[in-house]
Amino acid sequence: MTDWIRPTSLAEAVDARRDHPDYLVLAGGTDVMVGAIDRPAPIGVIDIFGLPELCVCEHDDEGRLRLGAGMSYAHLLGDARVAAAAPALVESAREIGALQIQARGTLGGNLGTCSPVGDTLPVLLALDAEIELRGPDGTRWLPVDDFCTGYRTTALAADELIVSVRLPVDSSSREQVWRKVGTRRAQSISKVMLCASTHRRDDGRLADVRIGLGAIAARPLRARATEAVLEGALPDGPLAARAAQAVLNDIAPIDDVRSRADYRRATTARLIRRWVLHLAQTSTTTNTGS
Amino acid sequence: MSKDHEDAPMTIGGSPDRVDGVPKVTGTALYVDDLEAPGAWHGATLRSDVPRGRFVSLTRAADFDWSDVVVVTADDIAGQNVVALIEDDQPSLVPVGGMICHREEALALVAAPTRAAARAALAHLTVVVDALPAVTTLDAALRADVAVHNDDNVLKRLEIHRNDDDIDEILARCAHVIEGTYETGAQEQMYIEPQGILAEWRGETCRVTGSLQCPYYVHKALVMLLGLPDDQVVVTQAVTGGGFGGKEEYPSMIAGHAALLARAAGRPIKLIYDRAEDIAATTKRHPARVHHRLGLDADGQLVAADIDVLLDGGAYVTLSPVVLSRAILHAAGPYRIPHVRIVGRALATNTPPHGAFRGFGAPQTTFAYERQMQKASRALGIDAFELRRKNLLRSGDSTATGQVLTDSVGSDAVLDTLSAALERAAPPAAARLGSLHSPVRRGRGLAFCFHGSGFTGSGEQRLAGRVTVACLPSGDFEIRSSSTDIGQGMLTIFSQIASQALGVPAARIVLSEPSTERVPDSGPTVASRTCMIVGRLVERACLALAEQLRAHAAANRLDATDLATVAAHRVAHAGPLAETCEHESPPGVEWSDETYTGAAYPVFGWAACLVDVAVDEDTREVVVERCIHAVDVGRAIHRRIVEGQIEGGTLQALGWALWEAVPYDDGRVLNPSMTDCIIPTSADAPELETLLVEMPFAHGPHGAKGVGEIPMDGPAAAVAGAIEDALGVACDVVPLLPEVLDVLLVDQPPQETLA
Amino acid sequence: MKLRFRLNDEDKELDVEPFRRLLDVLREDLHLTGSKEGCGEGECGACTVLIDGAPVNSCLVPVAQLDGHDIRTIEGLARQGTDGEVLLDEVQQALVSFGGTQCGICTPGIALCASAALTREPNADRARLRELLAGNLCRCTGYQLIIDALVDAASTRRGNSKR
């Protein structure tokens, strides 16, 4: 029989993880339970779903919003602080599965699985989020880009737990956009995901450009070549074209049963272009729309 | 909602509550996997996993505990090793030494106390196969370098000829010739309840209960497989979670397997497929390629059509000949065309057999001819409605097979009803998702079609379906038919028809369980025939019974307005009373299977569908913003049930057009899961505007004709036409996935408009 | 593993293998077969049950996670009247009256999901209802009559709450 540990505190959970690094850490189960009936049951489970310390949502002393890893997508959707700091995160959560999945799937679960099609990951990348990991030796914080190391692999150690996600204090002042291209409008696996955010300088130039992409490589990633093209530039039509070209160097999509590499490339490029054109059109200081 | 008064007969044309509604909304309706079967073991199927080859050997792992496992092979078959259908060419289990013709071919069966144990046992069986070259595409089948059926891979060839001796010359003289090739993909029925059967033996009698459409098809197959007399096989339908054709022929395969396992195990067997196995192994809509040449004169009058239809039948004959028949009988469309040549071929490939799915060949050829009409409308600059009205079949006109239409011809009516509805405001379309919006291009498409109700040609005469209505001692009336309710509302509609014909309230009508030991063979639940053909038998049997009861009332001075009381009296004093009616074709319905001429169907339904789409400039995603479907149903016995049929069929057709791909690689389905083999959600479905047109059919109950399939036929062409209208590129394949549109648009520069 | 939870308004104790799917425990151990398995991977919603009032896919929940929670299955959606008669939930009644059930295999999940959704969002419009129901696939109806039924159920509930 599977040994079932249900910690009542984070400290207990960390201890359990230290003592049983071979146990399955389970939150809402929306990922690990798929196909579970066809696999042997795990020898043990550390069940952290609903653990109160993992469901906090609060600003820290420096004004950064800290989201507990145990927050479900339904939590994210219902929280005004998340909506203020990270509207793109709310948008992405709203398009995950449908009510049933939103009630169980968690932010920490999405991170831990680190699927290339994990829907919140491009948002966390585009918002410079940091991940709080806790193990027997204490806490460490990793930028989400360093946390995701490859196809369904992360920097999480065998004795660590994902505790929270922290958004920079400037998140709410960023212009954020979100677009998921899925196989259909709900209950859908993503074919391309884009989350982009930026500040604008007084002269209308873009600053701190961040672009998170999903489903276009083995892991969700930052489009750094594209960001470099856009950083400090004035958004206009030619820049949109340059950015759309640049993003092709950032991504390495594949053909699979859900889409094709050429479509993913072309669509990513068009969405990047669209975002820059959108920035150009909404610019308050210049008239270099299209 | 119109609520019938409890003491009055059910009305025709209203929307009384479904008789199976409460058990379904409270979860008490019992589907096959819900049935208690004490001591039952679970079955599992060992499949070949090679597209073609010779089955060399089967061995059991020596280090596995086989004590609580039953293994069945072809050696255990007492009767003939076939799944009986049209031609008995498909084995139930491939014997060692036999040919494997597709990847999902069953080689052996196991049963064990639990599903997990059965699967574990499967994993300990080792199969050796000598692989042989396989044919897995239409092109390879046509080339016939490898012959997997006869020497040309043709499972069936059918032709229609109407004044076509010099059709090439006639086409050459036409002012306009529209030519195109249209490809449509396989489609999964995706009933939400996977297939499953419960089998048990009581003495020498085999009883199976399951999720199925046609109890007598399964009965016939079991009698042959098990080598039993008819009365030692009993087949019963459990409440069935959707069929759409998918549970027409394949349940015979599963029932055979479950019966063999139950015999070997000496206990009941549940053989319930999981979703992956169901998608991989069971039938799909036939992939098709239709080449179509359409000649018009300078005014837009149709002159000639030359049509070549190819269907991928898969590895065995199964139902392909009849699917092909319906495909070519609809291929010229609902139009007056003086010169027609249609050649249809169903080809053999080493893929699991394709089979029945709502529409049964007609959606494939409808897609082709309506795309042709859309292109003609564009090429000639004639309005879409006008071109149809100029050419459509009216009363007195004849179809490509020479069938003169006289009764219930709703062609003009559906177009008129549709164009009138266009004046109404459109319902709101779905909102955009996400915060980065792209521009869209909009377009509109129209499709117009017909669909033959009932079996093709002389099918209904051959079938001679029967229904019995019996008086019960309680004064209730029992309808005994082998028609099954698979969600389409048969139970309610038969209740209405009987209640009305007998003049008794709904509570007096009892529908017999569809079990071969209790009901006569009314024919299968397919082909838009249940209400029109079997419903008419119900009505006739009830009317005949009512007549006898009125005579009994007169003789015994009873109140003839209360036939329930009369029936109880009759049974109590003069013994059982029942009426059985057999199908009689209306006079003048002549059909020749040899020349493929004459009356192909008792009557046709008619439909017009209009679709508005918005295509995303960046992602090529298509949103259906409006979908209006006007359908001539003869008479709606139950308004909401008929609307539900049309709306369900329409969304399946929109799904086929836009989202539902079943890709294969070397004969293997690549997306055997609901996650990847997708169907539309409520968020994908547009508001569906359904318009019922009622042109009564003299030989249907209260004028009703078929409605189950026709909504599947037109919408895909309407969608493709709308996308072509939006993008200016020809959309000649389905599904029109964004990836497909992206390729079509590859030469178009991006538009500079801003969101 | 011993579990305690509330099931359809009754306290339950159960000793089960903790990693088993809730769906299997409901169907096999508790004989509550109204929850259906359509896909086994959280796509179709036919196995929907309510945990603490929220719709979830019971095929994705290990049964141990029920401990201490409140579960409602389709068998517990309708109430018993004083004379033992079945009082359907407004959503159930509307699904019957509007033809929102055809083959019925998706219906238990739809009734539970919609009932919960309308409790939280009594004023949801048609577009929002389509979004709320998107986790419950139906292959029969094209969803039109289901949405019609839910609009009616919402209005009935609003009417009842005013009285």
Side-chain angles (χ1 to χ4, degrees):
Chain A
M1 187 183 284
T2 303
D3 183 27
W4 201 274
I5 302 177
R6 199 159 65 160
T8 56
S9 70
L10 182 54
E12 267 183 52
V14 170
D15 287 349
R17 179 75 162 145
R18 179 199 59 213
D19 297 343
H20 303 284
D22 51 343
Y23 279 19
L24 174 71
V25 178
L26 180 73
T30 55
D31 195 59
V32 298
M33 289 303 289
V34 173
I37 198 172
D38 296 323
R39 295 188 297 263
I43 54 163
V45 166
I46 304 171
D47 177 7
I48 55 168
F49 188 67
L51 188 66
E53 285 162 273
L54 294 180
C55 296
V56 291
C57 179
E58 63 193 9
H59 287 99
D60 68 11
D61 296 343
E62 294 173 43
R64 296 173 294 200
L65 188 63
R66 191 167 154 270
L67 308 165
M71 285 184 81
S72 68
Y73 304 123
H75 277 144
L76 293 176
L77 284 169
D79 196 299
R81 289 160 298 188
V82 183
L89 189 58
V90 175
E91 288 178 36
S92 74
R94 185 165 174 169
E95 288 186 59
I96 293 174
L99 289 190
Q100 290 89 333
I101 298 294
Q102 289 165 9
R104 304 288 292 184
T106 62
L107 198 53
N110 212 219
L111 278 163
T113 302
C114 195
S115 159
V117 295
D119 283 40
T120 63
L121 306 184
V123 182
L124 300 180
L125 284 164
L127 295 180
D128 272 343
E130 294 173 293
I131 314 301
E132 180 188 4
L133 308 175
R134 194 170 302 178
D137 302 329
T139 293
R140 62 177 177 138
W141 289 89
L142 275 185
V144 65
D145 201 16
D146 295 341
F147 175 79
C148 303
T149 54
Y151 178 76
R152 288 178 170 261
T153 59
T154 70
L156 186 73
D159 58 0
E160 283 181 317
L161 290 171
I162 305 168
V163 174
S164 75
V165 172
R166 186 168 71 191
L167 300 175
V169 71
D170 69 356
S171 294
S172 57
S173 65
R174 289 179 158 271
E175 292 181 42
Q176 306 173 19
V177 294
W178 163 255
R179 183 72 184 271
K180 164 174 174 162
V181 184
T183 49
R184 59 185 166 193
R185 285 176 64 94
Q187 293 282 85
S188 150
I189 308 290
S190 298
K191 300 196 279 200
V192 172
M193 287 177 288
L194 163 72
C195 184
S197 79
T198 187
H199 284 120
R200 296 214 216 200
R201 302 198 318 222
D202 291 343
D203 61 1
R205 291 177 184 275
L206 305 177
D208 308 326
V209 178
R210 297 287 182 274
I211 298 170
L213 298 170
I216 43 61
R219 49 157 288 194
L221 50 75
R222 285 260 304 272
R224 291 184 186 275
T226 314
E227 291 173 4
V229 166
L230 296 173
E231 189 66 33
L234 263 178
D236 60 11
L239 183 69
R242 287 217 311 282
Q245 192 62 40
V247 80
L248 299 177
N249 296 321
D250 283 318
I251 61 178
I254 57 165
D255 288 329
D256 63 16
V257 71
R258 290 154 191 160
S259 189
R260 284 206 314 260
D262 56 357
Y263 170 81
R264 289 178 156 125
R265 260 193 299 275
T267 300
T268 307
R270 285 191 294 260
L271 288 176
I272 289 288
R273 176 176 166 279
R274 186 66 54 198
W275 180 51
V276 179
L277 291 177
H278 173 76
L279 290 172
Q281 197 188 31
T282 53
S283 167
T284 51
T285 54
T286 66
N287 292 316
T288 55
S290 51
Chain B
M1 89 203 76
S2 77
K3 268 251 164 83
D4 280 354
H5 191 268
E6 277 178 17
D7 300 330
M10 292 173 91
T11 51
I12 300 295
S15 297
D17 288 359
R18 287 178 70 110
V19 302
D20 54 350
V22 171
K24 285 179 173 174
V25 299
T26 52
T28 55
L30 295 179
Y31 300 76
V32 61
D33 201 21
D34 304 336
L35 299 174
E36 295 270 0
W41 279 11
H42 295 266
T45 309
L46 181 71
R47 300 185 186 278
S48 58
D49 207 33
V50 292
R52 185 159 174 262
R54 180 82 50 194
F55 183 13
V56 175
S57 68
L58 175 74
T59 45
R60 302 181 193 195
D63 58 350
F64 185 76
D65 177 7
W66 294 95
S67 56
D68 254 359
V69 177
V70 162
V71 180
V72 161
T73 67
D75 292 342
D76 299 303
I77 295 170
Q80 297 179 51
N81 184 6
V82 296
V83 183
L85 201 59
I86 293 174
E87 289 186 23
D88 299 329
D89 62 335
Q90 180 174 217
S92 172
L93 291 166
V94 178
V96 169
M99 275 295 287
I100 288 164
C101 294
H102 63 84
R103 286 184 184 272
E104 307 300 334
E105 202 85 86
L107 307 182
L109 308 163
V110 302
T114 65
R115 233 174 270 200
R119 285 175 188 217
L122 269 194
H124 289 86
L125 290 174
T126 305
V127 170
V128 176
V129 175
D130 262 352
L132 292 167
V135 169
T136 56
T137 64
L138 273 179
D139 286 320
L142 276 176
R143 279 197 306 273
D145 299 339
V146 176
V148 298
H149 185 92
N150 298 333
D151 54 3
D152 58 0
N153 293 328
V154 176
L155 293 169
K156 183 73 178 180
R157 181 188 177 100
L158 292 170
E159 302 182 12
I160 292 173
H161 300 279
R162 176 186 175 94
N163 304 322
D164 68 339
D165 287 348
D166 46 1
I167 195 158
D168 293 316
E169 284 171 45
I170 293 166
L171 278 164
R173 287 199 300 269
C174 283
H176 303 276
V177 175
I178 309 293
E179 181 164 3
T181 302
Y182 303 93
E183 301 214 16
T184 55
Q187 185 184 21
E188 166 57 38
Q189 293 87 358
M190 204 61 91
Y191 30 72
I192 306 295
E193 178 208 27
Q195 304 224 20
I197 296 280
L198 167 66
E200 59 187 316
W201 289 74
R202 297 208 189 128
E204 288 306 302
T205 298
C206 176
R207 307 180 66 90
V208 310
T209 304
S211 181
L212 51 92
Q213 292 179 221
C214 311
Y216 275 96
Y217 277 12
V218 176
H219 185 267
K220 176 184 168 190
L222 288 180
V223 162
M224 199 176 264
L225 179 77
L226 304 173
L228 292 176
D230 282 0
D231 62 354
Q232 280 172 234
V233 171
V234 178
V235 179
T236 305
Q237 183 223 15
V239 179
T240 295
F244 319 112
K247 294 171 184 173
E248 176 172 346
E249 71 269 39
Y250 205 85
S252 296
M253 174 77 81
I254 306 173
H257 291 167
L260 292 170
L261 280 172
R263 166 125 271 189
R267 51 172 71 240
I269 294 290
K270 268 191 178 178
L271 185 50
I272 312 284
Y273 284 6
D274 68 14
R275 183 57 65 178
E277 183 171 27
D278 192 299
I279 294 176
T282 73
T283 58
K284 319 245 168 308
R285 184 182 304 289
H286 286 69
R289 182 188 299 161
V290 180
H291 181 79
H292 200 300
R293 287 195 298 159
L294 186 64
L296 301 93
D297 70 15
D299 299 329
Q301 211 73 52
L302 299 180
V303 176
D306 181 22
I307 306 164
D308 183 71
V309 179
L310 293 177
L311 299 181
D312 179 347
Y316 295 104
V317 172
T318 62
L319 289 171
S320 289
V322 268
V323 175
L324 180 68
S325 172
R326 192 170 278 271
I328 68 162
L329 287 168
H330 289 77
Y335 300 113
R336 270 177 287 113
I337 313 178
H339 307 279
V340 178
R341 175 170 67 194
I342 304 169
V343 176
R345 283 168 290 171
L347 301 181
T349 60
N350 296 112
T351 45
H354 297 295
F357 190 169
R358 195 178 212 158
F360 211 70
Q364 293 94 317
T365 50
T366 303
F367 180 72
Y369 72 70
E370 278 306 273
R371 289 292 297 125
Q372 289 282 89
M373 290 299 280
Q374 290 161 354
K375 289 179 184 176
S377 167
R378 211 167 248 274
L380 276 68
I382 301 177
D383 169 77
F385 282 87
E386 189 191 337
L387 184 67
R388 266 66 169 205
R389 289 193 176 107
K390 217 183 239 293
N391 289 289
L392 55 75
L393 294 167
R394 295 189 171 87
S395 191
D397 291 333
S398 64
T399 67
T401 61
Q403 176 170 2
V404 179
L405 303 178
T406 52
D407 190 14
S408 183
V409 184
S411 47
D412 277 305
V414 294
L415 281 172
D416 293 348
T417 304
L418 177 58
S419 50
L422 272 174
E423 306 298 319
R424 304 194 306 217
R432 304 281 209 94
L433 299 174
S435 49
L436 178 62
H437 293 168
S438 309
V440 295
R441 287 195 252 171
R442 292 195 159 82
R444 169 169 289 183
L446 173 71
F448 171 64
C449 65
F450 67 165
H451 194 98
S453 302
F455 260 44
T456 299
S458 41
E460 292 296 347
Q461 271 151 293
R462 259 201 312 273
L463 262 178
R466 283 174 299 136
V467 164
T468 299
V469 179
C471 299
L472 302 181
S474 58
D476 291 346
F477 296 87
E478 185 176 72
I479 303 172
R480 297 173 188 156
S481 96
S482 68
S483 292
T484 53
D485 198 315
I486 52 174
Q488 87 283 37
M490 177 282 286
L491 292 169
T492 306
I493 283 175
F494 282 10
S495 297
Q496 284 176 277
I497 292 171
S499 167
Q500 186 65 207
L502 292 161
V504 299
R508 286 288 178 193
I509 307 297
V510 180
L511 272 294
S512 173
E513 182 179 55
S515 174
T516 54
E517 66 181 342
R518 302 184 61 177
V519 299
D521 188 354
S522 323
T525 301
V526 303
S528 307
R529 64 184 294 277
T530 298
C531 177
M532 182 180 95
I533 302 281
V534 189
R536 175 68 180 148
L537 293 175
V538 170
E539 185 180 35
R540 279 176 46 211
C542 288
L543 291 173
L545 207 52
E547 197 163 319
Q548 291 207 40
L549 289 173
R550 275 193 286 270
H552 180 79
N556 294 278
R557 301 181 181 198
L558 299 171
D559 174 8
T561 62
D562 177 10
L563 287 191
T565 306
V566 177
H569 185 274
R570 168 66 171 75
V571 175
H573 295 89
L577 177 66
E579 272 290 338
T580 297
C581 277
E582 186 172 307
H583 175 75
E584 289 163 14
S585 285
V589 175
E590 301 285 337
W591 170 255
S592 164
D593 270 327
E594 287 67 44
T595 60
Y596 251 64
T597 55
Y601 297 100
V603 70
F604 289 88
W606 304 81
C609 180
L610 182 132
V611 164
D612 286 340
V613 299
V615 187
D616 189 287
E617 184 69 37
D618 292 331
T619 66
R620 321 315 197 188
E621 293 166 296
V622 177
V623 171
V624 176
E625 296 197 316
R626 190 168 194 189
C627 178
I628 317 178
H629 215 158
V631 184
D632 169 23
V633 302
R635 177 83 195 277
I637 303 274
H638 186 295
R639 205 165 181 84
R640 284 225 174 85
I641 283 178
V642 171
E643 286 172 356
Q645 282 296 292
I646 294 171
E647 286 152 3
T650 301
L651 189 60
Q652 286 178 356
L654 296 178
W656 187 48
L658 288 172
W659 301 291
E660 297 181 28
V662 186
Y664 289 82
D665 178 41
D666 202 24
R668 184 202 309 276
V669 174
L670 289 176
N671 57 353
S673 73
M674 266 188 151
T675 302
D676 289 324
C677 190
I678 60 169
I679 61 170
T681 71
S682 51
D684 298 288
E687 292 292 332
L688 298 167
E689 296 169 73
T690 305
L691 308 167
L692 300 187
V693 175
E694 298 184 294
M695 303 285 283
F697 169 49
H699 303 283
H702 302 277
K705 51 189 181 182
V707 65
E709 293 173 285
I710 189 168
M712 186 74 221
D713 291 351
V719 167
I723 298 175
E724 180 180 61
D725 185 38
L727 302 181
V729 292
C731 299
D732 295 343
V733 301
V734 295
L736 287 157
L737 299 167
E739 288 80 358
V740 171
L741 297 178
D742 204 36
V743 171
L744 293 174
L745 286 167
V746 76
D747 295 329
Q748 287 197 0
Q751 291 195 349
E752 285 304 316
T753 37
L754 295 182
Chain C
M1 182 175 178
K2 282 209 169 59
L3 305 176
R4 293 171 145 207
F5 53 93
R6 270 183 84 73
L7 175 65
N8 297 332
D9 305 315
E10 285 179 23
D11 290 322
K12 279 272 173 198
E13 276 189 40
L14 211 57
D15 193 359
V16 285
E17 185 78 40
F19 201 68
R20 284 178 67 205
R21 305 184 306 172
L22 171 56
L23 174 63
D24 298 327
V25 173
L26 289 173
R27 290 179 56 84
E28 295 165 11
D29 299 20
L30 300 168
H31 305 284
L32 297 174
T33 57
S35 305
K36 311 297 183 187
E37 175 160 4
C39 69
E41 54 182 11
E43 273 304 303
C44 74
C47 67
T48 297
V49 301
L50 305 182
I51 299 185
D52 302 329
V56 306
N57 294 313
S58 63
C59 73
L60 296 185
V61 177
V63 66
Q65 291 193 324
L66 287 203
D67 199 33
H69 292 276
D70 182 84
I71 321 304
R72 190 170 301 281
T73 68
I74 190 63
E75 289 84 357
L77 185 59
R79 309 289 160 140
Q80 290 269 311
T82 44
D83 301 331
E85 78 275 25
V86 176
L87 300 176
L88 296 182
D89 182 271
E90 296 85 351
V91 167
Q92 290 173 305
Q93 182 56 55
L95 287 169
V96 172
S97 301
F98 281 77
T101 177
Q102 287 190 25
C103 85
I105 194 85
C106 71
T107 305
I110 283 184
L112 284 165
C113 184
S115 179
L118 286 178
T119 299
R120 289 189 189 182
E121 300 188 34
N123 297 310
D125 64 7
R126 292 183 72 91
R128 178 64 180 151
L129 286 170
R130 286 180 179 279
E131 194 179 346
L132 293 171
L133 255 287
N136 294 85
L137 297 178
C138 167
R139 190 56 155 168
C140 292
T141 61
Y143 304 105
Q144 193 70 20
L145 294 173
I146 293 175
I147 302 296
D148 287 354
L150 300 190
V151 168
D152 178 78
S155 128
T156 305
R157 279 195 183 180
R158 286 193 299 266
N160 289 347
S161 67
K162 271 178 205 147
R163 264 177 234 146

